[in-house]
Amino acid sequence: MAQTVLVTGGAGYIGSHACKALRDAGFVPVTYDNLCTGWQQAVKFGPFEQGDLLDRARLDEVFARHKPVAVMHFAALSQVGEAMAQPGKYWRGNVSASLSLIEAALAAGVRDFVFSSTCATYGDHDGVVLDENTPQLPLNAYGASKRAIEDMLKDFGASDGLRSVIFRYFNVAGADPDGEVGEFHQPETHLVPLILDAIDGKRPALTIHGTDYPTPDGTCIRDYVHVMDLVDAHVLGLRHLLDGKVAAGGHEVFCLGTGNGFSVREVIDQSGHVTNRPVPVSEGPRRAGDAVKLVSGSEKAVAVLGWNPARSTMPQMIRDAWRWHQNGGYDG
Ligand code: UDP
C-alpha cells in the first residue's frame, strides 16, 4: 500500500511541486495548509486538509485520519523584508507553529521529518562559498526563526528519537514544465517573477534593491535552484529517512545550491535574453536584512543522496518560469 506523507504548506510554491514529485514517486501527499499564502487550486496531487499549525486539535485529527509515515514541513512565512518589520509574526508563525507540529507528530508516533530551512540562516561570510558546516549567523528574523526550528528538531531528536533531514535552500526559481503548478505569490516579492512582471507590463519596472554592494556589479549575489530539482532532493531525503539511513535521534543537513552565483543584474540580463524582451529597471536603496552573497555547493547532497540538479541552469529556470507566467497562475 502506498505510504502517506503529511506535507505542510502543500498549497504553496515549493510544497505543491513537492506533492507532485511525491505522487510521481508512489507516495500519497496529504496537504495541510491554512491558505494564508497558498492556493487551494495548487493542491492537485493528493488530499487537502485545511488547518493551521497552531491548531493542535486539528493537527491531531489529521494525523489520526491519514496515518502518515513522515512529515515534510514547508509551511512558513518567508519574506526577509516582512520579517524585519514584523518579527513577532515570524517567531509565532514559524517557530511556535513548528513546535506544535513536531509535538503533534511525536504524539502520533511519527518520527521522520523533512524540513525546509534556508541559506538565510547563514548571514554574511565575506563572500565565501557556504557549506553545511559554515556557522549560522542570521541577519534577519526569517533566518533566525528557521535556525531555531533546526535547533528544535535536534533537541527532539535527543529527547524523543526524532530523525530529521534538514535542507538549507538557496534561491528557488522555475516551475513545473508541465504547467500544472508554478510560483504565484500575492503580493509577489521574489526576483524572477517580479522581473517577468516588469517584462510583460504587469508592473512598471523591476527595482534593484541596492547597487552599492561589494560585488563586481554592485548588486547582491544568489545561488538559484530549479524548483523541480529542489523537490527531487526532498524525495531522496525522505527515502534516506525511511530506509533507516539516519539513526534514531539523528539529523542530517544538506545545502541545496549549485555553487553558481548570479547577481541581480545578471538575472535581469538573462531574463531579457531568454524572453527576448526588454526589462524595465529602476535602481533603489538596499533592502534591510539582505546578505551580500549567498552561494553554496551541493557536494554533500550529490554524494550522500545522489542528487543531480541538472535543470538548475538560469536559462532553464527563466524559460519554465516564463511559460508558467504567461499561461498559469491561480485566481484565489
Ligand atoms: N531583489 C531586487 N528587487 C526586487 C526583489 C528582489 O533587487 O524587487 C533582490 C534582493 O534584494 C536579493 C535578490 O534579488 O538580493 C533575491 O531576492 P528574493 O526576494 O528573490 O530572495 P531572497 O534572497 O530574499 O530569498
Side-chain angles (χ1 to χ4, degrees):
M1 210 177 75
Q3 292 176 308
T4 294
V5 177
L6 187 72
V7 182
T8 74
Y13 169 40
I14 300 170
S16 60
H17 288 76
C19 286
K20 180 167 182 173
L22 285 166
R23 195 270 322 259
D24 291 349
F27 293 94
V28 176
V30 175
T31 290
Y32 188 84
D33 199 301
N34 66 3
L35 300 182
C36 77
T37 55
W39 303 93
Q40 190 159 353
Q41 302 103 298
V43 184
K44 298 181 168 177
F45 312 106
F48 177 47
E49 295 283 2
Q50 187 167 351
D52 196 286
L53 291 173
L54 290 165
D55 185 347
R56 176 61 195 273
R58 178 81 180 113
L59 271 176
D60 287 346
E61 183 187 310
V62 168
F63 273 104
R65 179 173 310 144
H66 294 282
K67 302 186 174 40
V69 294
V71 174
M72 272 194 193
H73 181 27
F74 295 95
L77 301 160
S78 63
Q79 293 173 29
V80 169
E82 182 184 61
M84 295 299 286
Q86 300 177 64
K89 191 169 170 182
Y90 280 68
W91 285 95
R92 190 173 307 102
N94 288 352
V95 181
S96 302
S98 298
L99 176 59
S100 168
L101 173 66
I102 292 168
E103 290 183 328
L106 290 172
V110 177
R111 290 196 159 63
D112 288 309
F113 215 94
V114 180
F115 176 56
S116 308
S117 190
T118 169
C119 59
T121 60
Y122 286 115
D124 270 327
H125 289 274
D126 284 336
V128 300
V129 174
L130 308 165
D131 67 24
E132 290 78 5
N133 300 316
T134 308
Q136 291 171 288
L137 305 165
L139 299 179
N140 54 65
Y142 167 56
S145 71
K146 288 283 187 171
R147 186 184 63 176
I149 300 164
E150 290 192 16
D151 289 344
M152 203 188 286
L153 289 167
K154 294 169 196 169
D155 287 347
F156 280 100
S159 66
D160 289 78
L162 188 78
R163 293 174 286 259
S164 52
V165 163
I166 295 169
F167 287 119
R168 293 191 191 134
Y169 303 172
F170 285 68
N171 288 55
V172 187
D176 169 20
D178 301 335
E180 289 191 276
V181 283
E183 182 168 20
F184 192 76
H185 297 107
Q186 253 171 5
E188 187 52 76
T189 63
H190 293 103
L191 182 62
V192 171
L194 286 175
I195 292 173
L196 301 181
D197 276 351
I199 288 175
D200 72 7
K202 288 204 183 94
R203 66 185 65 233
L206 184 279
T207 304
I208 301 178
H209 295 323
T211 53
D212 60 348
Y213 284 99
T215 60
D217 67 19
T219 64
C220 290
I221 294 174
R222 297 286 181 273
D223 183 343
Y224 292 82
V225 178
H226 197 299
V227 66
M228 300 299 287
D229 288 338
L230 189 89
V231 299
D232 276 357
H234 286 66
V235 175
L236 294 168
L238 175 67
R239 291 224 165 97
H240 191 70
L241 283 168
L242 297 179
D243 290 348
K245 303 266 175 57
V246 178
H251 65 274
E252 191 111 53
V253 177
F254 297 98
C255 286
L256 298 180
T258 66
N260 300 312
F262 291 87
S263 73
V264 174
R265 286 195 205 279
E266 285 172 330
V267 179
I268 293 169
D269 288 348
Q270 294 225 20
S271 300
H273 192 69
V274 167
T275 60
N276 202 22
R277 305 264 285 267
V279 188
V281 165
S282 68
E283 296 186 359
R286 292 183 178 197
R287 187 175 70 174
D290 265 344
V292 179
K293 177 177 172 182
L294 292 168
V295 175
S296 135
S298 52
E299 285 80 2
K300 186 176 171 195
V302 170
V304 176
L305 300 177
W307 190 47
N308 175 21
R311 288 161 286 201
S312 297
T313 65
M314 189 52 73
Q316 174 92 47
M317 288 185 278
I318 295 168
R319 232 183 340 264
D320 289 341
W322 181 232
R323 188 183 309 113
W324 164 256
H325 192 87
Q326 290 177 298
N327 301 320
Y330 310 116
D331 58 16

